[in-house]
Amino acid sequence: MSHPLLMIPGPVELSAAVCAAAAEPPLSHTSPPFIARFAGALRAMRTLWRVGLEHQPFIVAGSGTLAMEMAVANTLEPGQRAIVADTGYFSRRMAEILARRSVSVQRVGGRLLEGGMPAVSPQALIEAIERADGPVHAVFITHVDTSTGVRCDVRALAAAVRAVSSEVIIVVDGVCSVGGEVLDQEGWDLDVVLTASQKALSAPPGLALLVASPRVFAARERLTVPPPLLFDLLSWLPVHQSYEKGRPAYFATPATSLVSALHTSLEEIISEGIDLAVARHARSAEAMRRAWSVLGLRLVAEQESCAANTLSALWLPEGVDGTFPAKVAARGVTVAGGLHPELLLKGPYLRVGHLGWVTSQPERLLHTVRAVGDALIDSGTPVDPDAAVAAASAVLNLS
Ligand code: PMP
């Protein structure tokens, strides 16, 4: 491989076609080829998010945090109340964004248990809604929190919320899930599902993506304190509607090279089929978990049933310190260290991404397993990397 293998939970490895699209000379945002790509990307989002024409996809230059800000600024105003299902660092970021808009925020969950970090249960969420001091306007769920590798059961959480209210806005941070986990925005009645280009969609970093339901536009129309102009969905709506119909429009210059790369990556996913792409993530995750178990690495997630398919967050063994990712990097593979301050108080941990296009490249997954195994030996932990690679290969049907 000509570059270090990028196995952090985003940005991720890209296909050659996506790299080539990103490297083309930039297009004018009003040129027919760009209009076709922008429109194609928006249409592909409807397929991947599983929404029809009543929902509106948006692609805006920025990172996932911009999409989080937009979700908050367009649905809530100061003094309203929201609940955040807390499964890690990114749930807490959402709570911080809400607090800065002077929304009254309550976090549910987020406590590390003896067995690891749990997902938030539907019962806990409903109790929080029922015990709140007044009406709850919105619920925020991080589908996969990238700091803990914990996946919430969004379908069950949304169903529980809908059983008590058809009005509450449900926002899902899908930054580490869209394209890699089962998700059905319209079927599960979710109002915002947001992500970023650099994760399971396998495009370069730099684009914030979200799909908004009709409930979001109704909430936006009711706001007495409008969002900043750049964050306002109503600034972007006519532009997106126009591009999807094949006509250029202007509010702020789109990131034409990134949109071209995103269009290529979304077309790759659509041509494979979203169900197959998600199944590929499940199989890769299973292979990696088998390998981690052989290497004696324990998941941060409390149970395997709430462990994400897009990354593994793993406690490092006794005696191995936070310099471990550098030891893996010395073997040509870039992995990430821990991120959640409360978890880091307990000890160093490791995060390995297995999301996006790279999950169609089994040899890169196995190379990652070997690099982690060899680095453990380097750190004085006697493990058997061959056995770990064999365990992963068996799941990937390579042995
Ligand atoms: N939410 C989750 C679950 C994430 O993993 C990330 C990024 N790692 C973000 C939000 C923020 O996205 P960005 O870094 O692109 O702003």
Side-chain angles (χ1 to χ4, degrees):
M1 224 159 301
S2 58
H3 63 279
L5 180 56
L6 187 56
M7 298 301 287
I8 61 176
V12 298
E13 293 275 298
L14 306 181
S15 73
V18 172
C19 289
E24 277 178 22
L27 292 171
S28 157
H29 58 291
T30 60
S31 65
F34 177 70
I35 297 167
R37 291 175 195 185
F38 201 170
L42 293 169
R43 275 195 296 274
M45 283 177 72
R46 293 186 190 280
T47 307
L48 297 184
W49 270 245
R50 297 185 191 277
V51 296
L53 291 174
E54 291 203 331
H55 288 64
Q56 181 60 48
F58 292 91
I59 303 171
V60 178
S63 76
T65 306
L66 173 67
M68 297 166 81
E69 293 275 12
M70 289 174 78
V72 170
N74 284 276
T75 55
L76 292 163
E77 59 188 344
Q80 292 191 318
R81 194 172 280 102
I83 291 180
V84 172
D86 180 0
T87 47
Y89 177 93
F90 290 103
S91 318
R92 294 190 181 190
R93 171 170 295 183
M94 193 60 105
E96 169 72 14
I97 290 171
L98 286 158
R100 287 190 184 206
R101 190 152 166 91
S102 303
V103 171
S104 149
V105 196
Q106 193 194 331
R107 285 194 276 116
V108 183
R111 219 166 298 131
L112 183 62
L113 306 177
E114 207 36 58
M117 181 62 91
V120 172
S121 71
Q123 300 86 303
L125 191 56
I126 292 309
E127 273 170 30
I129 292 175
E130 286 172 352
R131 284 205 200 133
D133 295 335
V136 170
H137 297 91
V139 168
F140 290 78
I141 304 164
T142 313
H143 194 178
V144 168
D145 199 298
T146 322
S147 70
T148 55
V150 170
R151 180 185 57 216
C152 279
D153 185 343
V154 172
R155 180 186 199 152
L157 292 173
V161 173
R162 287 288 170 246
V164 296
S165 168
S166 58
E167 301 293 313
V168 173
I169 298 276
I170 303 178
V171 175
V172 175
D173 172 346
V175 172
C176 201
S177 74
V178 173
E181 302 277 1
V182 178
L183 194 58
D184 180 351
Q185 179 163 1
E186 197 163 345
W188 299 353
D189 202 3
L190 312 171
D191 295 306
V192 176
V193 176
L194 63 92
T195 188
S197 48
Q198 78 274 19
K199 301 279 192 169
L201 299 181
S202 299
L207 295 174
L209 290 82
L210 68 84
V211 174
S213 76
R215 227 185 251 110
V216 171
F217 293 100
R220 166 64 191 89
E221 296 288 355
R222 284 195 300 271
L223 294 181
T224 57
V225 181
L229 193 66
L230 185 68
F231 293 9
D232 192 347
L233 291 181
L234 297 185
S235 304
W236 291 103
L237 182 63
V239 175
H240 283 72
Q241 287 173 329
S242 184
Y243 271 99
E244 214 175 338
K245 288 189 189 122
R247 287 192 298 271
Y250 175 72
F251 162 61
T253 308
T256 55
S257 298
L258 293 176
V259 171
S260 293
L262 176 73
H263 173 246
T264 303
S265 66
L266 296 184
E267 288 296 308
E268 286 180 352
I269 299 170
I270 300 270
S271 63
E272 178 185 10
I274 181 66
D275 291 340
L276 288 180
V278 167
R280 172 157 51 72
H281 282 78
R283 195 168 53 251
S284 303
E286 173 67 19
M288 300 305 265
R289 286 197 283 264
R290 295 271 183 93
W292 307 142
S293 158
V294 170
L295 294 176
L297 298 173
R298 204 164 53 80
L299 292 171
V300 168
E302 189 198 18
Q303 289 168 11
E304 206 163 310
S305 59
C306 69
N309 285 336
T310 46
L311 83 151
S312 298
L314 304 156
W315 293 114
L316 287 170
E318 201 75 18
V320 177
D321 65 19
T323 62
F324 184 73
K327 295 200 165 72
V328 184
R331 302 192 135 68
V333 181
T334 310
V335 293
L339 181 62
H340 194 19
E342 280 177 31
L343 261 55
L344 286 167
L345 287 178
K346 197 168 176 231
Y349 69 103
L350 178 70
R351 295 177 306 134
V352 180
H354 29 84
L355 68 169
W357 171 81
V358 79
T359 56
S360 67
Q361 307 293 309
E363 77 289 354
R364 297 188 198 205
L365 299 178
L366 298 182
H367 186 59
T368 304
V369 167
R370 181 166 300 282
V372 170
D374 287 347
L376 282 170
I377 294 177
D378 247 16
S379 315
T381 310
V383 292
D384 184 348
D386 286 338
V389 169
S393 301
V395 178
L396 297 169
N397 286 326
L398 298 174
S399 44

